[in-house]
Amino acid sequence: MRWATAGWGSGLLGVLIFSGSLPATRVAVGSFTPLFLTSARALIAALLAAALLAVLRQARPLRRDLAPLAVVALGVVVGFPLLTALALRHITSAHSMVFIGLLPLSTALFGVLRGRERPKPVFWLFSGLGSLAVVGFALAQGGGASLTGAGLMVAAILLCGLGYAEGAVLSRRLGGWQVISWALVLTMPVMAGLALATMPDAWAGIETPAWIGLAYVSVFSMLIGFVFWYRGLALGGIAGVGQLQLLQPFFGLSLAGLLLNEPVAWSMIAVTGLIVLCVAGAKRFA
């Protein structure tokens, strides 16, 4: 019980950090292309991770760990950042936040497949209700929502759920921060080349908010948040702790409204309130 409680606490802190990712990305893509933003954030985080691994003298992962680390990298280092950056060229960060409500269900499904977890049937009821609320909201937007943006967000969520589940399983053996650090290091050569190939032609016109957005997604979203998130998933269970992501739209919508002055409709708030209740029910029966 103590480990489970620690896992939920660590997972919540990770969710709080991740909540700033989409608003920060929304600001950054105003000055950087999605490809440069994705590669630059991964490269910066990889350099920090490599230094951390070296200073703390962490043993290299075994050969059998390379394939799972590649899956983690595909899901959370490349796939989710790139697809969300592309999506945010078509939809607002406030709108994209609602799609994050599908991430717990994606994580739970991959947790069953990869982590061999078996939540109670009532857990799936609450998880499904939260996801249906998100889908219903998206459909209700009708012509006001970009189908391209919505499709990119759904694809991002599927890849992210896979990366979360795979990383959580691997973190039980390697440790939470070590998993994301090695996954980042694994992508460093490719990301360095991509960053060089896609860098802006001129740096002078890039405003301070874009640099702040890049710094946030590089240091917090790409590294520090995962330290707490993978630890939480490993200690508290992938399916159960993963439901905390249903709270991420609530935090994210608040940031989008306060920092970006984006319109936050009452329907968004209502959906967010419903999924908060679903989190409580899922936690009870995880």
Side-chain angles (χ1 to χ4, degrees):
M1 180 63 70
R2 182 184 64 180
W3 287 110
T5 302
W8 281 81
S10 183
L12 180 60
L13 188 52
V15 167
L16 285 169
I17 293 173
F18 290 151
S19 296
S21 299
L22 291 180
T25 300
R26 174 71 171 177
V27 172
V29 293
S31 299
F32 302 114
T33 66
L35 277 175
F36 176 76
L37 180 61
T38 299
S39 55
R41 66 187 279 182
L43 179 59
I44 293 169
L47 291 171
L48 294 174
L52 191 61
L53 290 167
V55 169
L56 297 180
R57 298 181 179 180
Q58 295 298 300
R60 292 184 179 181
L62 301 175
R63 181 171 296 181
R64 63 173 178 165
D65 297 327
L66 294 180
L69 283 172
V71 173
V72 173
L74 173 65
V76 302
V77 177
V78 181
F80 185 79
L82 177 58
L83 291 173
T84 52
L86 290 170
L88 286 167
R89 288 198 157 189
H90 301 276
I91 57 177
T92 67
S93 62
H95 193 153
S96 67
M97 274 293 169
V98 181
F99 285 90
I100 297 298
L102 291 171
L103 192 49
L105 183 58
S106 175
T107 304
L109 289 172
F110 284 113
V112 170
L113 294 173
R114 301 296 301 138
R116 298 179 180 178
E117 296 186 353
R118 294 294 182 269
K120 296 177 182 179
V122 181
F123 164 86
W124 294 109
L125 173 62
F126 282 106
S127 182
L129 285 174
S131 299
L132 284 174
V134 173
V135 173
F137 172 82
L139 292 176
Q141 298 305 296
S146 165
L147 290 178
T148 300
L152 288 168
M153 284 301 303
V154 170
I157 285 161
L158 289 174
L159 280 177
C160 191
L162 174 60
Y164 280 168
E166 195 70 38
V169 173
L170 196 56
S171 67
R172 295 167 182 167
R173 185 165 70 252
L174 298 183
W177 72 268
Q178 291 92 335
V179 167
I180 188 59
S181 294
W182 285 118
L184 286 164
V185 169
L186 191 65
T187 66
M188 190 187 298
V190 175
M191 290 304 177
L194 187 59
L196 288 173
T198 59
M199 68 170 55
D201 295 328
W203 300 94
I206 299 175
E207 298 181 353
T208 300
W211 288 112
I212 294 175
L214 174 60
Y216 187 92
V217 296
S218 301
V219 178
F220 290 93
S221 304
M222 201 81 268
L223 185 60
I224 295 176
F226 279 102
V227 173
F228 298 102
W229 183 241
Y230 277 144
R231 179 176 182 272
L233 292 176
L235 294 179
I238 299 170
V241 174
Q243 298 307 297
L244 285 170
Q245 294 163 116
L246 286 170
L247 296 172
Q248 191 168 325
F250 176 78
F251 301 130
L253 288 173
S254 300
L255 289 173
L258 290 173
L259 301 181
L260 305 182
N261 294 318
E262 291 187 356
V264 178
W266 282 107
S267 56
M268 291 183 183
I269 298 174
V271 170
T272 302
L274 177 59
I275 61 179
V276 167
L277 296 177
C278 291
V279 170
K283 181 181 184 300
R284 172 69 176 80
F285 295 101

